[in-house]
Amino acid sequence: MEKYEQEHLELVKKTAAECTLFLKKDDTFPLTAPCKVAAFGNGIRHTIKGGTGSGEVNSRFSVNVEQGLKDAGFTITTEKWLDAFDEVLVENHKKFVKNLKEEAAALGVNALMYGMGMVQPEPEHDLPLDGDGDVCIYVLARNSGEGNDRKPEKGDVLLTDSEARDINALNKKFDKFLLVLNVGGPVDLTPVLDVKNILLLSQLGVVTGNVLTDIVLGKVNPSGKLATTWAKWEDYSTIGDFGDKDDVNYKEGIYVGYRYFDTMNVKPIFEFGFGKSYTEFDVEPTGATNNKDEITVNVKVTNTGKVSGKEVVQVYVACPLGKLDKPLKDLAAFVKTKELKAGESEVVSASFKLSDLASYDEETASYILDKGNYVVCAGNSSRNVKGVAAIVLADTVTTLKARNCLGTPGFKDFVPTNKNEITIDGLAKIELSASDFETVSVKYDADYPVDDIIAALSDEELAFINTGAFDPKKTGMEVIGNASFAVAGAAGETTTLYKDKGIKSMVMADGPAGLRLNKEYYEDENGVHGIGSNLESMFELMDDEEKAAAAEMAKKAAPKEGTVIKEQYATAIPIGTAIAQSYNYDLAKCYGDMVGKEMERFHVQLWLAPALNIHRSILCGRNFEYYSEDPLVAGMFAAAITEGVQSHKGCGTTIKHYAANNAETNRYNSNSHVSERAMREIYLKGFGICVRKSQPKAVMTSYNLLNGQHTSEHRGLIEDILRSEYGYEGIVMTDWVVDMLSASNENKYRGALAAEVVKAGGDLFMPGCQKDFDGIMKGLADGSISRKQIQQNATRVYRMAEQLS
């Protein structure tokens, strides 16, 4: 390994425990020294470092739990069971691939496309639990990925009968038993809740196995908190629907995640914000102060346990019921302590603006705070809080005057009938009136500048700038996740046709768990060529013709004898959900800084990350990439990652997927029906937080439609909200719209069109092909696209390339 790899891996290994947490714990762990261990479960050898798809990183190696234990000096006594389980997996995988191909054939679709992101469920088996030891560790792993959603079935969201049987049997047999969850999202743990020690390890990149071993030996202390509610499958909300091929109705409105559970008084297994460590803390609010509507909450945290650790203080606000319905409480702020020694205390402060909790009133097209009592609470989970103060607002206040621009969903949002309110008895009061707030009126329909260099270009040249790196003289631009000629394995780039005119190109690499590039490459007179493919894991789904074509491509791309082979290994950082579980803004910023260093090294200007869509349903296949069910958490961690990356000159992030992209089922053509209020308060809020706090260089729109209109073609989303309301200054690009995937006649809704994207103020249609270019040229010819609009788009691309050069 090179020095940068060693340094980056050591940083992740040292810090990743902050992303982990105990769901249940007694005094059995940590262990004092390595010993004999009976190791069971699919995650011992087949440890998941992160999900599949664009979030996968092609690292040099990956340390599974088995190797991590051995490296630390443990003796594994269950090699026979692990070998037998491998045989079960091989047979199960053969059946899975066979069934998948048969399903695709029955549907008349391409198996390669049908199977993208589809993960085989864990198998049932009858293997005897042979093997003794001083301790037993069972690692339960789950994978998911881009292109398909999870299922509420055994082997996925639910435990298999074999898993439940074995976990409970081992828990009874061993005095020291640890259930480890190597998962990217919740699983229903109902059958195994008698287990006394459950660690949510999550998926921490290539050193996942090392981090677990350090936790077991007490070298590091978990200090994370849940960023998503864990519940019985049947207790999750069914008010809205999920998974329909054409139309998904977000009828639950703003009642997503803990907002639903707490408001409806449905008790989860483990609530939002919950997490245990090797020590205990006393969290005691000491008061709150204000500077107009900025509220600061002070909390004294004392380590009452026996070892050092960190605690997360969470501040929630219960808003009054007025013109608009409200959740029981909303997360308003959070802060993590320093590492506190046993017996040590620290007073931490967390601040928020009450105006940031304003609700969107569709009737007046404005954000309002209803008059009444706003109860401020603090604690260490959404259900373990104490009252701090009551903010008494004398008047109903309008904080921002906007305009409705997102269409109508075709239904009215769910409104709870129960009127839960938190009492203010005994709380100190902070009195506010309308004079303590500023009312902002948004100015829309801005006229953007056109630089002279762009004004001098022909229509054809402008169309090329708006169409990725499309060049009619070259081929291969529609390769998914590998459409760059400058950096091997990069996802794409902007046009290179006009460098002689001073228009530079930008290279983009996928994410969000690190840079996704080819591991090896070579250079010749024709440029850079990656060795291997980002689609290697999909080869088994190809038919004979596709395999032959792939083999021929590989043959043509193979280096000549004597060619120098170069390496570009990137570091896989923890998945997005794990980073959010750290509740440590500075740590996330540190991970962003690490990615920025590697971007500089490999000459990548834009990282296609972070991804901050909301965990609306635990079934979304890409939730592991995303941060949380809460928009404040999502926005803050996207901002932290962005700050870290953009501290490096010439490096920018691309926050995605904008917006209402909360499922993978038919993602290119699915229509999300969402109210204006729910969009603004839940699904767009995190984007607004990130933009205002860190100004990412790029925003990527999502594949889906919103209330009947593709998000990439949605001027209300792009111009009115993103640019006018949030003050966004960067470029807007589409996700990788590949015609063979989005243009099927089987769909109710068509795929996104390049000409419509240009009209809406979208700056780049990616990755770009002849059809996209022709569509833009036709729009310019018939006047449906104004020359001024495409000049404005091109100016933004030109300026960003200059900024990142």
Side-chain angles (χ1 to χ4, degrees), residues 113-114 116-118 145-149 621-622 664-667:
M113 298 299 104
Y114 177 70
M116 184 181 294
M118 197 174 288
E146 180 178 7
N148 264 284
D149 290 314
R622 292 182 84 172
E664 289 296 290
T665 301
N666 195 28
R667 59 186 178 149

Side-chain angles (χ1 to χ4, degrees), residues 93-104:
H93 187 68
K94 290 178 181 176
K95 294 177 183 177
F96 172 74
V97 173
K98 181 175 180 290
N99 291 339
L100 194 153
K101 288 183 174 180
E102 289 175 352
E103 290 173 9

Side-chain angles (χ1 to χ4, degrees), residues 14-29:
K14 180 181 177 182
T15 59
E18 288 207 41
C19 307
T20 72
L21 56 112
F22 283 104
L23 294 172
K24 295 187 71 178
K25 183 190 72 69
D26 62 14
D27 294 329
T28 306
F29 294 89

Side-chain angles (χ1 to χ4, degrees), residues 42 44 50-51 64 150 205 237 246 368 371 385 427 448 520 559 605 668 683:
N42 59 338
I44 294 291
N64 64 13
R150 298 177 66 195
S237 172
D246 297 313
I368 66 170
K371 67 179 180 180
V385 294
L427 298 180
Y448 300 101
E520 297 178 324
Q605 285 77 50
Y668 298 95
Y683 301 102

Side-chain angles (χ1 to χ4, degrees), residues 200 210 246 264 322 338 358 417 584 602 736 781 798:
L200 175 54
N210 299 125
D246 297 313
M264 301 304 294
K338 66 179 183 181
T417 55
N584 186 332
F602 299 127
W736 267 226
Y798 163 70

Side-chain angles (χ1 to χ4, degrees), residues 116 144 163 277 382 462 549 623 720 722 773:
M116 184 181 294
S144 65
E163 288 170 332
S277 73
S382 67
L462 293 170
N623 272 357
D720 292 354
L722 184 62
F773 175 81

